[in-house]
Amino acid sequence: TGTVAAVKNTQPAFLQYLSKVGLQLGSQLEVLDKVAFDNSFEIRVNQERTVLISAEVSRNLFVTA
């Protein structure tokens, strides 16, 4: 569980993707599952919606506890 504090990638396509899945600075995240096959994560955003993000997306998020 943590809060999105910053993003490493600021390319418009990445920021549009984050907006589409409901992730923004200050969003509360809870990791529900890690998929071993491709290292993607199932996360709950702001205790409202559940999304699957790739390992690449997760590497570009800075999350604080």
Side-chain angles (χ1 to χ4, degrees):
T1 303
T3 303
V4 178
V7 294
K8 185 177 187 181
N9 184 337
T10 58
Q11 294 179 359
F14 181 68
L15 298 176
Q16 288 170 354
Y17 170 78
L18 293 181
S19 178
K20 182 178 180 177
V21 298
L23 284 171
Q24 58 189 0
L25 296 181
S27 291
Q28 298 294 312
L29 304 181
E30 178 184 359
V31 175
L32 302 175
D33 191 25
K34 181 178 179 185
V35 181
F37 172 72
D38 62 358
N39 292 319
S40 61
F41 291 91
E42 180 182 10
I43 62 171
R44 181 171 295 128
V45 181
N46 294 324
Q47 299 178 345
E48 296 172 357
R49 72 192 290 189
T50 301
V51 296
L52 191 66
I53 61 170
S54 68
E56 182 66 23
V57 170
S58 68
R59 283 191 289 272
N60 282 283
L61 298 176
F62 293 103
V63 179
T64 59

